Amino acid sequence: MAAGKQAPEVRTFPPLDAQISGVLKKARRFRAGFAEHLAFWVRLADAAVSSAGLFAMARPNTQPEDKGHDGLIFEVGQQSSQAELQSVKNSIAKAKPLVSTAGFRNKGVATAGAQLDDFWLVQNNNIGFVRLEQMLSEVTTSLGLTPDAIARQALLAQCAFNAVVFADPGEGTHDLFDGYQHVTQSALGRVATFVGANTWKETAAAVQDATLAILAAKGLG
Amino acid sequence: VYAERLRAYVKELGNLAGLSPDDVPLLEESLACYLALFARVVQGEATPRADLLTASLRLALLTRSLVLSDASGGLDGVHYLVAMGYEQGTASLARVRLSERPDDPLENDDWYRLLLATLHYLAGGYRVQALCTRRAVADAAGPSPLYASGHRILTAAFEGGGTNASALERDVAALTRGHATASESMAGLLLAIRHRTDVLLSHLGEHALETWGQRHELDPTGTDFWGRYLRRLRERGFTSFTREQGHFDEWLGRDRDLLVQLPTGAGKSIIGELLTALHLAAGAAVVWLLPTRALVRQVKRDLRSAFSKLGVDVEELPTTEDALPLFAEEAPVHRQVAVTTPERLAALARANPASLTDVRLIVFDEAHLLLERTRGVTAEHVLRVARAAPGGCRLTLMSGLQDVREPLERTMRALGATPRVLVSEVRPTRRIYGVVTDEPHGPEHSRVSVLVHPPSSNAAHPDVLPYAVQLRPGKRGPSDSKTDIAARLARSVLDSGLRSVFFLSSRRSAESQARTLAQKAKTPAGTQFRVPKSATARLRLELGRQAVVETTAPHRVAAHHSGLTPLEQHLVERWVDAGEVRTVFATPTLAQGINLPFNLSVVGYTDRFNQNTRKNEPVPAGEIMNMLGRAGRAGKVPDGLCLLALESPRTDRRRLMRRSGSVYFAEPVSRGAVGLAALLSSGYQAIGAPEWPLELSGVRSFSDAQTFLSLALRIAATGVEDAPGVGAFLEAYPSVSVIDARLRERLATAMASLIAHLRAILANDPVALQITARAGLPPEYCAAIASAVATAPVGEGDYLEWSDNAVSAALARGSARAWHRDLFAAHSQDTVLLAIREWRSGKSVSALERILVNGKVTRAHVGEFLNHQMSLLAQFWAAVPVAAEARGRADVLEATRPYAALVRDGVPTVDALVWLRALGGLDRVLAKGVAEASPLATTSLPQKQRAARKLVTQWRSGRAAPPSNFAIVLEDVLADIE
């Protein structure tokens, strides 16, 4: 360094977290993560339009393969509140096997991995409690609820499942969510969201490309 | 149906949330979750369906609310409800595995929820309930080392939050890495537990021992003892007390008497233990009274765990309860705890009046024994004697029954005590009441249905639509009797892992159902219970034949009734406790004070045949409830499913619920008279008749008659004979002092008449009067024994043959009397005496069966005879040494003193008797054999006892080899001994 001359400012960017980088660069993982994040915003946007009271949604999973439920929205009211557990799947081929197994659709026999089967396991086998606990903690913190108010919401809450599917529009058939009745007898407890993207594979790839381009422009990669 | 206490907790939660209790759905949802699990294990279908997501969400939020609340709490009930919710919604039911066991314990949902349940219970002060969930946590754990962190966290929680805070933090961090909320939940609950413990133990003086010792007038040694005891409390995990227990200032003191009314398993024992520790700290001896030997053994074990490490001896009084007891020289002394029955303490006090000198506290558990006619008199007598002992003795009476507070309090006041009263209705287990029935399913099929009263059901509305679990349909059987319904349910639960007891009305029915179920069971060889060879050898030695349980136990089924030998009953109980036998068909014998970890109890009859009226009569609601109460066990099984088998009305389930409501919502029958007053009130109309002392009829039992005879002559021995004098004597008994004056007058008149008639019958012979008073046997019999002893040969050494002949001849004198007819209704006197000789010679049970079994008398009858009649008949031998003492015949006295014990226990020699006790009291034939193989060289009884106990200890530790010909049998016996 020459004397009397101020060193030029050097801005450095941290390298991307290896796991995040893995999600961004693998098409299949990106699609899954993208679906989860998109579902998060879709549901929040829906709540912003439809909810009469306060609401909050737990952050989506960091990794698309993370265990447990993909989302939880909590809408708070004085006399009632609604908690909706969300599971997100995406498909570039056949969506139906991801939604439920044939055994579940026909006989209600659940096998872990398919969306409705997993809901059944939540409903009957206590699967995923620690993730549920984590998400509830996030939403109650976001909502700024006092201990008394949390107790009140605990007793007022009504629960529902929301099966969210991203796929090509042709996959959104009338029988896509067959077997949902095995999860819960309450019709109000069964929510299904189909997001048809034309075509889903190309849509996700385009977003992936754009994302990587933005990051590259910022020196992250 | 749900305890009022749970409703109070719901109200507490409602207050916290600002909601009406009606808007708190926790009980209903929790019950639905529990029944869903039950349905799964019996392959049935539950309605309404459980909503686990909603239940889980509520619980997780409530945990968060409690964790964020001030740790100083006041929310005990909310902690209880949350813990209950976690517990009832997980696989703790029958320890059923519903999920894999992932390496990360927090991904093991059952494990994690049960851990949270345990922490919530402890945070609310519900230690006994926490013991249940802690067991379940251990059962649900996987092999990953992270589970060990969870185990250490729970150990610290039981110690009141742990003593090593940084180690605990490390364990929480290791367990919850990546799960911030789980970490917060655990840390918050541990903080609440620590706070609670610190407050309570500081009330017990933990942080200011010296001041505490001064306040309780303890010297420095006593204060040091108390401090060491408190450390033992922590080590043993006794750091959590319920609200009622926690008010120590009100009940913990050496200057007060106490009446404790808490349900069984709800923490009576720890109250008695704390009082015991305080009196021990002051250097006193303490006596615990229990109604049965089984309970004596259990309490001795518990108290040893509390006090042995502090250098305190906890021993069972070795005394026998005879008129002239054996082992009467061993009395409780300074800083010692003696555990015994009222009868044995009475015998000790009678033989050794100075034996209670050092005793400053008597803790009487199951004190409602005072309300029993015969045993209540002895219990009352013991309390009087203890109370009058020099130095004074404080009383703590404890009972789990709700309807006895008033008579017990009255009795204590009459004894000069002004008791503090400690009452709680918090049961350590929850009971879920309902019906099992058989509902039609199409024209040819039916299905067993379990219908459960919902939480909203009550006495005013017993017919609320029930929660239901329907089993798989099957072909309708030829009969749908209650027994058949119970049997069909038994078949369904056999493979479920549930431990179940089915109460049937007869021994025959219990045994045949057990055999049938075992025969029909398709238990794969790999899952059969392999009855240990040592246990089989033990049974064969005692019985001399194959036991029924040998054939049924491999299929995890057994019968339990009063016709089985104590050894058979014991093995069934042991195997149920260990989970090896899961389905038991029983008669009400099993309901009498035995606590086994049953998940399910079913009563298969609601009426029974009365021999006296020759009619079927309804079984009292209290008796049914007592049987059903066998389901659930403090510290082991949190929820008991209690079902009444009822035939289906085919149409309306509500009708069934209404019918069962008459049992479940029946008002408890108030209990009035206690002890002597109860006895006198039941029989005074009969005893005044001139012929009564000869016939002894018109009272409820031979034991009642004995007590009347004995009491009348004890009164006479004080020089009192007329009705006013007798009245004054009786009035000294607390129970009599408080009854109506006119009734008391009638009782006194009847007793005075009895005294006069006895004097006339015994021709005022002082020896015969003394024998009758002490032995309480028919006066004609006592007079005959008195004569026989007067003419007994001198210096015979062995008077056994002579005694047998004397007893036989004296009994024959009463052959025309009612008592003799009753006593020998099934077999002639000669046959019974022949059987007694065989029994006393230490022969196997089958030798007696060869004598006693005939067309009318079955093996089960013989078992009942051995269990119940033998101790009564033994008393006829007990009269002989009493007569010898009265006649001054030391040689006869010395020789005949143990004969009654030999007859009662079925062994031929005193050495065999000593061995029988040292080996646990169940194996007579073995005791005889060991006595022959390992003679006890010493002479005095206490020395023999000590020598036998020492050898047993050496055999157990392997420092000495047991007699080789009994090695296999002893393997099982020694494993049984604490």
mmCIF file of all heavy atoms in Angstrom, chain A residues 60-76:
data_model
loop_
_atom_site.group_PDB
_atom_site.id
_atom_site.type_symbol
_atom_site.label_atom_id
_atom_site.label_comp_id
_atom_site.label_asym_id
_atom_site.label_seq_id
_atom_site.Cartn_x
_atom_site.Cartn_y
_atom_site.Cartn_z
ATOM 1 N N PRO A 60 -42.165 -20.646 6.202
ATOM 2 C CA PRO A 60 -42.060 -21.948 5.531
ATOM 3 C C PRO A 60 -40.729 -22.602 5.875
ATOM 4 O O PRO A 60 -39.817 -21.944 6.385
ATOM 5 C CB PRO A 60 -42.129 -21.596 4.043
ATOM 6 C CG PRO A 60 -41.801 -20.146 3.961
ATOM 7 C CD PRO A 60 -42.105 -19.517 5.273
ATOM 8 N N ASN A 61 -40.633 -23.884 5.592
ATOM 9 C CA ASN A 61 -39.385 -24.591 5.857
ATOM 10 C C ASN A 61 -38.225 -23.968 5.080
ATOM 11 O O ASN A 61 -38.398 -23.489 3.957
ATOM 12 C CB ASN A 61 -39.511 -26.051 5.430
ATOM 13 C CG ASN A 61 -40.385 -26.832 6.385
ATOM 14 O OD1 ASN A 61 -40.362 -26.581 7.583
ATOM 15 N ND2 ASN A 61 -41.162 -27.756 5.858
ATOM 16 N N THR A 62 -37.039 -24.011 5.684
ATOM 17 C CA THR A 62 -35.846 -23.521 4.984
ATOM 18 C C THR A 62 -35.484 -24.484 3.862
ATOM 19 O O THR A 62 -35.126 -24.081 2.766
ATOM 20 C CB THR A 62 -34.661 -23.438 5.972
ATOM 21 O OG1 THR A 62 -35.126 -22.835 7.159
ATOM 22 C CG2 THR A 62 -33.521 -22.644 5.383
ATOM 23 N N GLN A 63 -35.542 -25.729 4.167
ATOM 24 C CA GLN A 63 -35.220 -26.760 3.181
ATOM 25 C C GLN A 63 -36.507 -27.467 2.764
ATOM 26 O O GLN A 63 -37.347 -27.774 3.627
ATOM 27 C CB GLN A 63 -34.277 -27.798 3.796
ATOM 28 C CG GLN A 63 -32.963 -27.228 4.290
ATOM 29 C CD GLN A 63 -32.102 -26.726 3.150
ATOM 30 O OE1 GLN A 63 -31.854 -27.440 2.197
ATOM 31 N NE2 GLN A 63 -31.682 -25.471 3.237
ATOM 32 N N PRO A 64 -36.661 -27.748 1.509
ATOM 33 C CA PRO A 64 -37.906 -28.397 1.079
ATOM 34 C C PRO A 64 -38.057 -29.799 1.663
ATOM 35 O O PRO A 64 -39.166 -30.313 1.757
ATOM 36 C CB PRO A 64 -37.771 -28.456 -0.446
ATOM 37 C CG PRO A 64 -36.334 -28.235 -0.732
ATOM 38 C CD PRO A 64 -35.776 -27.433 0.387
ATOM 39 N N GLU A 65 -36.937 -30.398 2.056
ATOM 40 C CA GLU A 65 -37.030 -31.759 2.602
ATOM 41 C C GLU A 65 -37.258 -31.761 4.108
ATOM 42 O O GLU A 65 -37.341 -32.832 4.706
ATOM 43 C CB GLU A 65 -35.736 -32.540 2.312
ATOM 44 C CG GLU A 65 -35.390 -32.699 0.850
ATOM 45 C CD GLU A 65 -34.616 -31.498 0.323
ATOM 46 O OE1 GLU A 65 -34.350 -30.568 1.106
ATOM 47 O OE2 GLU A 65 -34.293 -31.479 -0.873
ATOM 48 N N ASP A 66 -37.317 -30.575 4.738
ATOM 49 C CA ASP A 66 -37.471 -30.561 6.198
ATOM 50 C C ASP A 66 -38.712 -31.331 6.609
ATOM 51 O O ASP A 66 -39.748 -31.298 5.931
ATOM 52 C CB ASP A 66 -37.567 -29.122 6.717
ATOM 53 C CG ASP A 66 -36.185 -28.497 6.858
ATOM 54 O OD1 ASP A 66 -35.186 -29.238 6.719
ATOM 55 O OD2 ASP A 66 -36.111 -27.277 7.078
ATOM 56 N N LYS A 67 -38.564 -31.990 7.792
ATOM 57 C CA LYS A 67 -39.680 -32.831 8.243
ATOM 58 C C LYS A 67 -40.841 -31.975 8.736
ATOM 59 O O LYS A 67 -40.639 -30.842 9.163
ATOM 60 C CB LYS A 67 -39.208 -33.733 9.376
ATOM 61 C CG LYS A 67 -38.286 -34.838 8.916
ATOM 62 C CD LYS A 67 -37.847 -35.662 10.091
ATOM 63 C CE LYS A 67 -36.875 -36.743 9.635
ATOM 64 N NZ LYS A 67 -36.289 -37.451 10.765
ATOM 65 N N GLY A 68 -41.987 -32.558 8.692
ATOM 66 C CA GLY A 68 -43.140 -31.911 9.311
ATOM 67 C C GLY A 68 -43.943 -31.077 8.335
ATOM 68 O O GLY A 68 -43.695 -31.061 7.135
ATOM 69 N N HIS A 69 -44.888 -30.388 8.916
ATOM 70 C CA HIS A 69 -45.845 -29.623 8.130
ATOM 71 C C HIS A 69 -45.152 -28.441 7.475
ATOM 72 O O HIS A 69 -44.181 -27.928 7.985
ATOM 73 C CB HIS A 69 -46.974 -29.156 9.026
ATOM 74 C CG HIS A 69 -47.223 -30.106 10.149
ATOM 75 N ND1 HIS A 69 -47.644 -31.397 9.913
ATOM 76 C CD2 HIS A 69 -47.040 -29.997 11.480
ATOM 77 C CE1 HIS A 69 -47.744 -32.021 11.079
ATOM 78 N NE2 HIS A 69 -47.380 -31.210 12.034
ATOM 79 N N ASP A 70 -45.723 -27.988 6.349
ATOM 80 C CA ASP A 70 -45.075 -26.920 5.595
ATOM 81 C C ASP A 70 -45.549 -25.540 6.000
ATOM 82 O O ASP A 70 -44.922 -24.542 5.650
ATOM 83 C CB ASP A 70 -45.325 -27.128 4.093
ATOM 84 C CG ASP A 70 -44.693 -28.424 3.609
ATOM 85 O OD1 ASP A 70 -43.570 -28.723 4.044
ATOM 86 O OD2 ASP A 70 -45.337 -29.148 2.832
ATOM 87 N N GLY A 71 -46.664 -25.467 6.664
ATOM 88 C CA GLY A 71 -47.136 -24.143 7.027
ATOM 89 C C GLY A 71 -48.270 -24.191 8.036
ATOM 90 O O GLY A 71 -48.925 -25.221 8.211
ATOM 91 N N LEU A 72 -48.440 -23.075 8.751
ATOM 92 C CA LEU A 72 -49.563 -22.965 9.682
ATOM 93 C C LEU A 72 -49.994 -21.516 9.705
ATOM 94 O O LEU A 72 -49.185 -20.618 9.969
ATOM 95 C CB LEU A 72 -49.147 -23.378 11.092
ATOM 96 C CG LEU A 72 -50.261 -23.180 12.124
ATOM 97 C CD1 LEU A 72 -51.142 -24.431 12.178
ATOM 98 C CD2 LEU A 72 -49.714 -22.899 13.500
ATOM 99 N N ILE A 73 -51.263 -21.299 9.408
ATOM 100 C CA ILE A 73 -51.776 -19.934 9.534
ATOM 101 C C ILE A 73 -52.736 -19.902 10.709
ATOM 102 O O ILE A 73 -53.480 -20.867 10.954
ATOM 103 C CB ILE A 73 -52.451 -19.428 8.243
ATOM 104 C CG1 ILE A 73 -52.731 -17.935 8.383
ATOM 105 C CG2 ILE A 73 -53.728 -20.202 7.940
ATOM 106 C CD1 ILE A 73 -52.908 -17.225 7.065
ATOM 107 N N PHE A 74 -52.668 -18.827 11.457
ATOM 108 C CA PHE A 74 -53.503 -18.701 12.653
ATOM 109 C C PHE A 74 -54.257 -17.394 12.556
ATOM 110 O O PHE A 74 -53.640 -16.323 12.458
ATOM 111 C CB PHE A 74 -52.604 -18.720 13.881
ATOM 112 C CG PHE A 74 -53.302 -19.169 15.128
ATOM 113 C CD1 PHE A 74 -53.364 -20.513 15.447
ATOM 114 C CD2 PHE A 74 -53.902 -18.251 15.980
ATOM 115 C CE1 PHE A 74 -54.016 -20.938 16.585
ATOM 116 C CE2 PHE A 74 -54.567 -18.673 17.115
ATOM 117 C CZ PHE A 74 -54.616 -20.024 17.428
ATOM 118 N N GLU A 75 -55.556 -17.477 12.546
ATOM 119 C CA GLU A 75 -56.384 -16.270 12.475
ATOM 120 C C GLU A 75 -57.100 -16.100 13.810
ATOM 121 O O GLU A 75 -57.803 -17.005 14.268
ATOM 122 C CB GLU A 75 -57.420 -16.394 11.347
ATOM 123 C CG GLU A 75 -56.756 -16.559 9.976
ATOM 124 C CD GLU A 75 -57.789 -16.750 8.870
ATOM 125 O OE1 GLU A 75 -58.808 -16.027 8.894
ATOM 126 O OE2 GLU A 75 -57.568 -17.618 8.020
ATOM 127 N N VAL A 76 -56.899 -14.956 14.419
ATOM 128 C CA VAL A 76 -57.344 -14.744 15.794
ATOM 129 C C VAL A 76 -58.617 -13.918 15.829
ATOM 130 O O VAL A 76 -58.684 -12.854 15.219
ATOM 131 C CB VAL A 76 -56.248 -13.999 16.587
ATOM 132 C CG1 VAL A 76 -56.725 -13.662 17.992
ATOM 133 C CG2 VAL A 76 -54.986 -14.818 16.624
#
